[in-house]
Amino acid sequence: QRQLVESGGGLAQPGGSLRLSCEASGFTLDSYSVGWFRQAPGKEREFVAAISGSGNTAYADSVEDRFSISRHNTKHTAWLQMNSLKPEDTAVYYCAVENYAARISYSVGRYDYWGQGTQVTVSS
């Protein structure tokens, strides 16, 4: 059974950092691109960052220069390093994979498997 499990969420102060992990089980990440999305209460799920199989990356304007996405295929894991956190970063964060490693997609509908989400709260 293919699963994605996120971890690393929690409470951070404004200006602080968190590192989210996304671990795949039941499959390897080699054939997949990886994306991170987030959903705040009352809002739609939105694109945060993505990384292709070759390591190309893309970021939402709101997190550019603050967040960094990375992956390690042999460890079946991807990460989202979040620095300089702001209260508006508060949301449930989801990792997802698309069975097309060469492509970076920004749309929720492109992704094939999703994790259960991890809560990130930024507050003083």
Side-chain angles (χ1 to χ4, degrees), residues 71-114:
R71 63 188 289 163
H72 195 305
N73 288 343
T74 57
K75 293 184 178 179
H76 313 310
T77 304
W79 298 271
L80 184 68
Q81 177 67 43
M82 305 186 296
N83 299 327
S84 302
L85 284 163
K86 304 176 180 180
E88 51 263 43
D89 294 320
T90 296
V92 177
Y93 283 71
Y94 298 89
C95 72
V97 295
E98 180 186 9
N99 192 5
Y100 192 159
R103 180 167 65 197
I104 286 181
S105 295
Y106 299 82
S107 172
V108 168
R110 289 280 193 182
Y111 288 82
D112 299 295
Y113 302 102
W114 291 80

Side-chain angles (χ1 to χ4, degrees), residues 42-64:
K43 295 188 176 182
E44 293 188 353
R45 194 169 297 189
E46 65 175 6
F47 172 82
V48 175
I51 185 168
S52 70
S54 61
N56 294 322
T57 59
Y59 298 92
D61 289 344
S62 59
V63 306
E64 186 84 55

